[in-house]
Each structure stands twice: as structure tokens, then as C-alpha cells.
């Protein structure tokens, strides 16, 4: 039913551990992604069948799969952890999609593995539904991201602070290779594994890179562009550890992530990010820090390490220029510029400063900027009017169309996600499906949905903290 071709499993044995998913008691289908299944070449009728439920729950291993847990390491909040790995996930295998791209199919929440350490290998319903909603919203907004193919309830409780309903997400990604996947082999001085991983990544993700230095540059560019896209949506990843940064340039690991409501560059949601390391405004700097760890991990592959350090430093430092250029493209489109230039950064920054002063709603300010209610977001109407005067001189004649393509009307807001999870915990999946239907049409939400779903939270509804949910 699924045409697997498992290239990662053909790499060296020390890079993973064969590991079947652990069966669950009473699986139930919560959601399936028909459009994504079609892209994967999976029969969309089969997708929601009982046979498929057995696969998505980990109760049956489909023909052709080679379930395995990947080894990786990582810096978590800046602290080196020499061994992490898939502790609650297994890679079922890979498929070549209808667009010709190879993608992983992974079960997340599928039980213990050799890398589980103290964990139970499971996930509860909340983070599974959060990842489903947010990753599918990101995909709909054109941001490189892992996807959600299915969500199932396990029929088992998982113990966190209390007993919570267990769930499994079927995640689809260009690969699950992370900065930490390189780090683990570098730290073990396992050059054959490091080389095999590098060759695999070049062939799979960056076929134009003619060697390790070019690979590094390509990854730097992909990350700079990705982070600029996050910034343009007010998205805060929340846990940008090196093990949560995908080499492919896709957004991965939707743990304590959130879209901001009120604009505040210092915003942090994650309950465990006490120092604000992964705040909104810190994201580009942290990406650069993570890329420096990647560069360090690649040095052992170079014949002349000293020369490589110098060359890699130059390549890493290009991040800032690439990021700045991408940021201007992203935000320039958000204010309706036809051909944004670096010099436009000032105009954009002036608006962001006004937004920060008033805690203006990030999404709605941009979505309504060309409309008559734009000034309602600002208390200093004179300052906003002065900004508009400058803006009018610069914006494109067709700015409204440019802005409509660049600015989502709807993003999955924290309070909405929390409400969906609360309902699902009480066996009501209807709010999940209602929210999913709207956030996957962010630029042209279904008729009648825009007003209710675009509404920022009331004072009582504001969510101040998000949780990893591990
Ligand atoms: P995260 O910060 O969520 O990306 O996870 C960091 C590490 O902890 C990874 O190696 C995960 O596989 C592992 N982990 C997270 N939650 C669990 C769990 N419930 N059981 C086992 N391992 C886990
Ligand atoms: Mg992770």
C-alpha cells in the first residue's frame, strides 16, 4: 500500500537502531490528511481504513517498511547532550512522492526505543493536535515544514502531571536529519558515519553542493530563509535546540511553539525557556549559533582543519546578509512593496516599532493595513498617520494584491489551539476539524469564518505559557 524505499536504513548500522513501534490497546482515528496522502502516492481510500489505522497506531508494520530509531545528539538550551535520538518516534521508511521528492514517514509517540532515557516513548493528545494544526497551517502559508499525515488516539493513558489520553502523530518530512545528527558522529570521531551522513544529505537535499563547504553554505542559506519566514508570521519555535533544527531547511518539532498575538519582539511562550533564549527576536541569532555547531561538526571531514575553520567561519557569517535580504523580501511583501530593497528595512522597522509600542496584533495589523480600520491598532494615531504618508510614497500601485498574498488572515492562535485540545480531551474532535479547515486556508478563509477566527484572545483567553508536552 505504501511504496517504501528506505535509503537511511542502508547507511551504517551505528547511525540507528532497528525498532518496531510498540503496539497500543485501542487505536482510534482522529484525523487523516487526504491531500498529503495523494502526494505520497498513498491510496486515499485506504488512508482512513482499519488497516491504515493499524499502521498509524504502530500495531502493524506495513510491507516494505524498515522501522528504526535514529541516533542524534544536540545542544539543548546551549548545553551539550552527547546522546539523544528518537526516544518516542520511529521512522517507518521513505517514499518517493509524486513531486519526485523523497520523504520520511515517521510515527511520533510510538513507544520506547533505546534512546528513550527516562521517558515513556509516548505523546499525549495535546501536542499531537498542536503539531498537526500548526504544521499544516505553516504548509498552507508556504513555509518549509514537516507535515501531518494522520493522528490517532491510542486508547491508553499517558502519565504526565496527570493521566492524559495518548496519541500518535504520523509525520512526513524531507528527512529527520538534524544538526544533532552530524554532531553525534563528530563528537564520537566516527568519520565513516559522518562521511556517510554527509554524502546522504548532499545526494538527498543539496545535490548541487559539490563538497562539504558548499553543503554548509547551502544549509546556511536555507536556514536564513526559513527563519525570515517565521519572523514574517510572528512565529516562535520555542525550542531551537540543535537537535530540533532540520538540515533540510524545514521547520521541525512543534513543541512549545506559538504565533504571537500582540507584537512583542521579546516574546517567549515556552514554560521551560526561563532565560528567553528562544524569544522571537533571538531566533536568527540562535539559528546562526546552531549553524556554527554544524560547521564545527563538519571540520573532521576536511583535510586541512585550520584552513577549514577559516573558510567555514566566512560561510557561517554570510547568514546575516542572507537573513537580512530574506527578511526585507518577506516584510516588504507584507507592506505591499513590489521590489523590496535593503533600504526599505527602515520603513518596515518604523511600523514594527509602532506595533511594539501598542502591542498591536501581529497578524491583524498586516492583514488590515491597507484597509480603513488599520489605525485602530494604534494609540498614537499621528505617528501612524506619518508612517502611512511615507508608506504611500513607496508602496506598489497593486500593493493590496501583494499584501493579500503575503499576509494571512488567519493563523492558529494559542487560545484556539488550547480550546481545541480541551474539547478533544473530552472526545469532541469537531473544534479541531473546524480550526484545521480555516488555518489551512489562511489567505482566503471559508465564508463566515474570518471574523470569528481572526479575533485576538480576550484578556481571559490569553495563553501566557506553552509546554513541550513530552
Ligand atoms: P524534544 O526537546 O521534544 O525535541 O526532545 C528531546 C529528546 O527527548 C529527544 O531525544 C526525544 O526523543 C526525547 N523525548 C522527548 N519526549 C520523550 C518521551 N516521552 N519519551 C522518550 N523520549 C522522549
Ligand atoms: Mg526534538
Amino acid at each position: 500500500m505504501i511504496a517504501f524505499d528506505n535509503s537511511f536504513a542502508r547507511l551504517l548500522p551505528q547511525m540507528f537502531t532497528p525498532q518496531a513501534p510498540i503496539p497500543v490497546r485501542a487505536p482510534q482515528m482522529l484525523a487523516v490528511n487526504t491531500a498529503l496522502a495523494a502526494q505520497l502516492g498513498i491510496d486515499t481510500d485506504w488512508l482512513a481504513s482499519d488497516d491504515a489505522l493499524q499502521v498509524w497506531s504502530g500495531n502493524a508494520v506495513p510491507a516494505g517498511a524498515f522501522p528504526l530509531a535514529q541516533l542524534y545528539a544536540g545542544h539543548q538550551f546551549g548545553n551539550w547532550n552527547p546522546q539523544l535520538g528518537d526516544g518516542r518516534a520511529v521512522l517507518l521508511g521513505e517514499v518517493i512522492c509524486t513531486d519526485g521528492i523523497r520523504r520520511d514517514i515517521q510515527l511520533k509517540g510510538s513507544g520506547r526505543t533505546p534512546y528513550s532515557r527516562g521517558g515513556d516513548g509516548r505523546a499525549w493528545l495535546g501536542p499531537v493536535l498542536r503539531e498537526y494544526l500548526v504544521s499544516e497551517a505553516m504548509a498552507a502559508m508556504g513555509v518549509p515544514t514537516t507535515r501531518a499525515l494522520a493522528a490517532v488516539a491510542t486508547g491508553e493513558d499517558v502519565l504526565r502531571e496527570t493521566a492524559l489520553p495518548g496519541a500518535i502523530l504520523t509525520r512526513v518530512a524531507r528527512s529527520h536529519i538534524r544538526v544533532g545528527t552530524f554532531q553525534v558522529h563528530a563528537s564520537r570521531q566516527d568519520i565513516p558515519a559522518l562521511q556517510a551522513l554527509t554524502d546522504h544529505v548532499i545526494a538527498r537535499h543539496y545535490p548541487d553542493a559539490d563538497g562539504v563547504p558548499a553543503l554548509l553554505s547551502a544549509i546556511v542559506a536555507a536556514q536564513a530563509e526559513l527563519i525570515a519566514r517565521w519572523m514574517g508570521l510572528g512565529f516562535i519555535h520555542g525550542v531551537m535546540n540543535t537537535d530540533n533544527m532540520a538540515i533540510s531547511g524545514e521547520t521541525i518539532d512543534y513543541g512549545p511553539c506559538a504565533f504571537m498575538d500582540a507584537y512583542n519582539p521579546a516574546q517567549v511562550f515556552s514554560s521551560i525557556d526561563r532565560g528567553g533564549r528562544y524569544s522571537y527576536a533571538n531566533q536568527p541569532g540562535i539559528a546562526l549559533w546552531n549553524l556554527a555547531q554544524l560547521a564545527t561538526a563538519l571540520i573532521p571531514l576536511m583535510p586541512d582543519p585550520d584552513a577549514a575553520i577559516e573558510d567555514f567561519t566566512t560561510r557561517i557569517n554570510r547568514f546575516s546578509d542572507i537573513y537580512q535580504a530574506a527578511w526585507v523580501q518577506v516584510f516588504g511583501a507584507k507592506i505591499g512593496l513590489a521590489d523590496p530593497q535593503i533600504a526599505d528595512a527602515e520603513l518596515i522597522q518604523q511600523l514594527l516599532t509602532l506595533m511594539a509600542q501598542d502591542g498591536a496584533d501581529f497578524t491583524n495589523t498586516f492583514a488590515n493595513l491597507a484597509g480603513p480600520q488599520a489605525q485602530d491598532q494604534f494609540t498614537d494615531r499621528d505617528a501612524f498617520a506619518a508612517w502611512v504618508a511615507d508608506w504611500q510614497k513607496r508602496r506598489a500601485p497593486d500593493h493590496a494584491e501583494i499584501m493579500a498574498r503575503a499576509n494571512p488572515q488567519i493563523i492558529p492562535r494559542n487560545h484556539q489551539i488550547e480550546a481545541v485540545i480541551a474539547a478533544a480531551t473530552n472526545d469532541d474532535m469537531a473544534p479541531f476539524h473546524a480550526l484545521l479547515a480555516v488555518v489551512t486556508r489562511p489567505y482566503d478563509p471559508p465564508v463566515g469564518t474570518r471574523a470569528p477566527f481572526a479575533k485576538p484572545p480576550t484578556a481571559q483567553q490569553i495563553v501566557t505559557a506553552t509546554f513541550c508536552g513530552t
Side-chain angles (χ1 to χ4, degrees), residues 330-347:
V330 166
F331 278 87
K334 290 179 79 66
I335 63 167
L337 308 188
D339 179 22
Q341 303 293 319
I342 292 290
D344 292 315
E346 197 181 327
L347 182 67

Side-chain angles (χ1 to χ4, degrees), residues 72 88 178 243-244 253:
Y72 52 87
R88 55 167 160 169
R178 307 135 191 277
D243 54 303
N244 291 335
D253 273 2

